[in-house]
Amino acid sequence: HLTGEPIPLRAEAGVRLSSGSHNLEGPLTLRVTATAGESQYARIVDLVRTAQSSKAPIQRLADRYALWFTPLTLAACIVAYFLSHDPTRVLAVLVVATPCPLILAAPVAVVGGINRAARRQIIFRHGTALEQLGAVSVGVFDKTGTLTIGQPRVARVIAVPPFTESELLRLAAAVERGSSHLLARTLVDAATARGLPVGEAHHLVETPGQGIVGEVDERAVAVGGWAFISTRHPHAKAALAAVHPDGVGLRAYVAVEGRAAGIVEYADQIRPGLREFFSTLRRLGIHRTVLLSGDAQANAEGVARDLGIDEVRGDLTPEQKVAHIQALVKAGERVLMVGDGTNDAPALSSATVGIALASGSGGITAEAADAVLLADDPTRIAEAMAISRRTMRIARQSIWVGLGLSGVAMVVAAAGYIPPIAGAVLQELIDVAVILNALRSAGPIPKNPS
């Protein structure tokens, strides 16, 4: 959550660890070099506060319409009095010209939209976020935990003949069932998902942080890092090196009876349905997509390439993410930022609309976000945008209908055909019509977001 990297860091002498790090296995001794007030988390909190205080206020929908309503009403009163010199007509104009459509239409529609979104596990923290979401033009996304699952999974199994992928995974999983390593459960889950019979291993001996050996089907099986396998089984070293895949990644090497059996490669996985999601965003008016990640540039580029994201920046600090968001806002873009980690909080606060995923939306992340997705599914953002657009369309419709009817009533009242008491009743009827129409925003949204 703090760095945006999905793969565990190997803590060796001289490695700087962030406060809040989880020690996954084995004892270690560390030296504290700073107080809590100087920590990375404290700097992130300060960034959020600075971003929130410098964020330009957004004019609400009703405020924009109210700019001309009052002067127009006063002008109608002046004309009515100038033509008739009858104060009763002025009173009638004032009664029918109350700004109730402005006061009621937008808030009722927004509350209805927020209610509708909440039913879909999309929580808006305030109405301005709902108003602005449907008008965003640039979508900015974090990678780890947002577009990807955020946990290492088995990405590839490479077997060395005569071993097959299934046999390699079955044997390795049997040994890993007895391991305390973070990735052991992941390997076992991968074998189970393939329907492989994972048996029991005997005589297990684990070297924390390096590897584990055991006996499966009366064969000695070793699973571990490169140094662990190459040192214990030098005859397997050459064969494993020959099939060593290119690129940066996390791998477990497997040897059976001292012979090379293969490699299990781990990687963070892209969430399902994101290709269609990005296509939908473009139909909804987002003309530019950007990936900002604290993970390595190569990893970020791979995800961006798979999903068709326009721009990608990796190896970013929280400060650099904020600078990128602020540059987009200054260029006149309405920016949507989606993230899940603590390092995304300042960027969420700097964007026009910031949305946090529930998986990491505690503490400062939830505080910085304008909305939170309780369902850990970023594709629901398209649905949230559709709700926003429909809500604002209904709100504008309610305002125009209400003000239009009030405008007609003002003209009739100025001509002397509506007395003040009848005007008051008429205005109440207009208000009821406006409210009933605005409440439609709480209803179901169309199947195809638009």
Side-chain angles (χ1 to χ4, degrees):
H1 292 309
L2 197 61
T3 65
E5 297 170 299
I7 303 300
L9 173 69
R10 186 173 181 82
E12 299 175 333
V15 173
R16 295 180 64 88
L17 301 177
S18 298
S19 57
S21 297
H22 292 275
N23 183 18
L24 300 177
E25 57 183 37
L28 57 83
T29 301
L30 55 84
R31 179 168 56 88
V32 177
T33 59
T35 63
E38 302 172 89
S39 68
Q40 178 69 14
Y41 184 79
R43 288 198 294 271
I44 287 174
V45 172
D46 288 338
L47 279 172
V48 170
R49 289 171 178 166
T50 301
Q52 289 178 337
S53 62
S54 61
K55 195 171 182 178
I58 298 173
Q59 190 180 37
R60 301 292 298 272
L61 178 67
D63 296 336
R64 294 196 294 269
Y65 285 95
L67 290 175
W68 55 266
F69 181 78
T70 300
L72 183 63
T73 301
L74 293 176
C77 292
I78 292 171
V79 170
Y81 186 77
F82 178 78
L83 295 177
S84 66
H85 299 285
D86 183 0
T88 303
R89 292 192 185 187
V90 175
L91 180 59
V93 171
L94 290 174
V95 168
V96 298
T98 56
C100 290
L102 281 175
I103 298 171
L104 298 173
V108 170
V110 168
V111 169
I114 290 176
N115 180 272
R116 181 63 194 175
R119 295 179 194 173
R120 299 294 299 153
Q121 297 183 295
I122 306 164
I123 306 301
F124 285 96
R125 297 184 61 218
H126 48 80
T128 304
L130 179 66
E131 287 190 22
Q132 295 295 316
L133 180 58
V136 293
S137 56
V138 175
V140 180
F141 298 85
D142 170 53
K143 181 183 76 69
T144 305
T146 302
L147 300 181
T148 65
I149 295 173
Q151 296 290 336
R153 295 288 187 271
V154 173
R156 183 160 50 157
V157 179
I158 305 171
V160 176
F163 294 95
T164 64
E165 289 186 13
S166 297
E167 184 181 16
L168 167 64
L169 199 58
R170 180 181 66 83
L171 294 173
V175 173
E176 289 283 65
R177 282 181 62 179
S179 173
S180 61
H181 195 277
L182 170 71
L183 298 177
R185 183 72 255 169
T186 298
L187 195 150
V188 174
D189 290 342
T192 303
R194 294 193 183 193
L196 301 176
V198 179
E200 281 196 39
H202 305 281
H203 311 299
L204 292 170
V205 179
E206 183 174 14
T207 304
Q210 298 182 41
I212 187 171
V213 295
E215 188 176 294
V216 184
D217 299 337
E218 299 183 350
R219 290 188 288 179
V221 179
V223 182
W226 175 253
F228 181 80
I229 297 297
S230 60
T231 301
R232 291 172 176 262
H233 304 290
H235 296 295
K237 184 175 180 180
L240 289 173
V243 297
H244 197 289
D246 296 330
V248 179
L250 185 64
R251 303 175 186 88
Y253 299 86
V254 183
V256 177
E257 293 292 316
R259 299 173 54 192
I263 300 173
V264 179
E265 187 175 18
Y266 302 89
D268 199 3
Q269 292 185 344
I270 295 175
R271 293 180 185 272
L274 289 184
R275 282 185 172 275
E276 295 79 6
F277 166 65
F278 278 97
S279 298
T280 301
L281 290 185
R282 291 183 177 88
R283 291 198 300 271
L284 289 171
I286 292 183
H287 65 85
R288 182 178 173 188
T289 52
V290 183
L291 175 59
L292 302 181
S293 177
D295 198 7
Q297 177 72 21
N299 295 337
E301 286 177 350
V303 172
R305 184 169 53 253
D306 289 343
L307 298 179
I309 296 176
D310 301 322
E311 301 175 30
V312 56
R313 300 285 188 277
D315 298 306
L316 296 181
T317 64
E319 292 89 346
Q320 290 171 325
K321 286 187 177 184
V322 169
H324 199 94
I325 295 289
Q326 290 177 341
L328 290 170
V329 173
K330 289 179 181 178
E333 302 285 4
R334 293 186 178 92
V335 181
L336 164 68
M337 171 65 194
V338 185
D340 77 313
T342 301
N343 64 334
D344 300 318
L348 291 171
S349 187
S350 300
T352 308
V353 180
I355 298 181
L357 267 65
S359 59
S361 58
I364 191 63
T365 311
E367 181 66 26
D370 299 299
V372 177
L373 297 183
L374 298 184
D376 199 20
D377 178 11
T379 62
R380 295 207 180 192
I381 293 171
E383 187 175 359
M385 291 183 65
I387 292 173
S388 171
R389 290 189 167 199
R390 183 170 184 267
T391 298
M392 290 301 99
R393 184 165 59 247
I394 291 173
R396 292 188 187 94
Q397 182 187 78
S398 300
I399 289 174
W400 278 112
V401 169
L403 293 182
L405 293 174
S406 293
V408 172
M410 279 194 293
V411 173
V412 177
Y417 294 107
I418 299 179
I421 295 178
V425 174
L426 178 61
Q427 183 60 40
E428 293 301 322
L429 293 175
I430 294 174
D431 294 345
V432 171
V434 165
I435 292 172
L436 291 176
N437 187 68
L439 284 173
R440 292 192 300 115
S441 64
I445 62 172
K447 291 184 179 181
N448 295 320
S450 60

